[in-house]
């Protein structure tokens, strides 16, 4: 296993949006919202003729909320967050080693130890390293580049003796 990896991340609205979408739709409330929207859509289709105009409008809004409207709202929030958050104006520099994850920008540097993490999730386009239920380091795979497999191996290796939960991260079985 490689001992250390370094890379920089320039947060964009797209990266923040992907994180918030993942975070919302992988919690109970997001899954419940999708189910609610689908049920409203099914009721709207199957009972359209027997519904009042007011009921139709309400069902249309409920059907659209978690499937169309919420993602649009989240996108504009992500754009605003990137504009307002000064730490997103410059790249964040990351160093991962035996001590933990060190993030630095300009003269500010902070390290979080591996045992202080809660969960690590690998999605199709990002590694999400949660330090609390709602806060995470977002490592876009395009920022990590060709070292994604090295990063994955390090994350698994450095957290194997901690209580950090891993999701979506599979190590290739080594042949004997």
């Amino acid at each position: 296993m490689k001992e250390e990896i370094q890379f920089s991340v320039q947060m964009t609205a797209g990266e923040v949006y992907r994180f918030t979408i993942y975070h919302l739709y992988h919690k109970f409330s997001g899954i419940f919202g999708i189910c609610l929207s689908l049920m409203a859509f099914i009721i709207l289709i199957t009972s359209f003729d027997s519904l009042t105009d007011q009921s139709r409008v309400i069902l249309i809004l409920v059907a659209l909320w978690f499937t169309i409207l919420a993602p649009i709202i989240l996108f504009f929030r992500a754009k605003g967050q990137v504009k307002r958050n000064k730490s997103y104006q410059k790249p964040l520099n990351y160093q991962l080693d035996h001590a933990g994850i060190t993030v630095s920008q300009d003269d500010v540097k902070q390290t979080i130890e591996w045992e202080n993490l809660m969960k690590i999730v690998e999605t199709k386009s990002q590694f999400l390293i949660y330090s609390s239920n709602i806060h995470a380091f977002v490592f876009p795979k395009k920022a990590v580049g060709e070292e994604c497999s090295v990063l994955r191996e390090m994350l698994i290796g450095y957290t194997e003796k901690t209580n950090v939960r891993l999701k979506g991260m599979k190590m290739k079985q080594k042949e004997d």
Side-chain angles (χ1 to χ4, degrees):
M1 176 174 79
K2 192 171 178 180
E3 296 287 320
E4 178 183 304
I5 188 172
Q6 294 181 7
F7 54 91
S8 294
V9 173
Q10 178 64 58
M11 289 304 291
T12 64
E15 296 299 342
V16 173
Y17 176 69
R18 277 187 277 287
F19 167 71
T20 54
I21 286 290
Y22 176 86
H23 189 71
L24 174 66
Y25 290 116
H26 284 81
K27 293 189 323 187
F28 175 77
S29 59
I31 295 167
F32 179 76
I34 291 290
C35 292
L36 188 64
S37 289
L38 290 173
M39 287 182 359
F41 183 71
I42 290 168
I43 292 169
L44 184 65
I45 297 295
T46 59
S47 306
F48 189 81
D49 292 336
S50 63
L51 296 171
T52 65
D53 289 342
Q54 181 181 11
S55 296
R56 288 180 190 151
V57 169
I58 291 170
L59 286 171
I60 288 170
L61 288 174
V62 171
L64 293 176
W65 182 254
F66 285 95
T67 55
I68 307 291
L69 300 174
I72 290 170
I73 291 167
L74 286 176
F75 177 75
F76 286 106
R77 280 189 187 162
K79 280 182 73 170
Q81 185 177 356
V82 168
K83 284 182 182 178
R84 286 187 310 273
N85 192 331
K86 291 181 182 180
S87 68
Y88 291 163
Q89 304 308 310
K90 296 179 185 177
L92 294 162
N93 304 304
Y94 292 98
Q95 176 180 323
L96 287 75
D97 57 27
H98 69 282
I101 300 172
T102 301
V103 59
S104 63
Q105 190 177 60
D106 297 330
D107 295 332
V108 180
K109 184 187 260 190
Q110 181 180 6
T111 300
I112 185 165
E113 297 172 350
W114 295 110
E115 55 270 3
N116 292 330
L117 298 175
M118 291 185 63
K119 174 173 68 168
I120 300 174
V121 177
E122 182 178 0
T123 70
K124 185 174 82 173
S125 62
Q126 298 175 325
F127 290 95
L128 308 173
I129 291 74
Y130 285 83
S131 57
S132 72
N133 285 330
I134 58 172
H135 294 101
F137 296 108
V138 177
F139 298 161
K141 288 184 176 179
K142 65 183 177 188
V144 178
E146 295 178 5
E147 294 199 280
C148 281
S149 60
V150 172
L151 175 61
R152 183 180 306 108
E153 184 180 331
M154 287 180 70
L155 292 171
I156 292 169
Y158 282 133
T159 59
E160 71 182 348
K161 293 184 180 172
T162 67
N163 290 326
V164 177
R165 293 177 292 139
L166 301 176
K167 184 174 179 188
M169 300 180 69
K170 303 271 192 277
M171 285 297 293
K172 293 180 182 173
Q173 295 294 324
K174 294 182 181 178
E175 293 181 19
D176 295 324

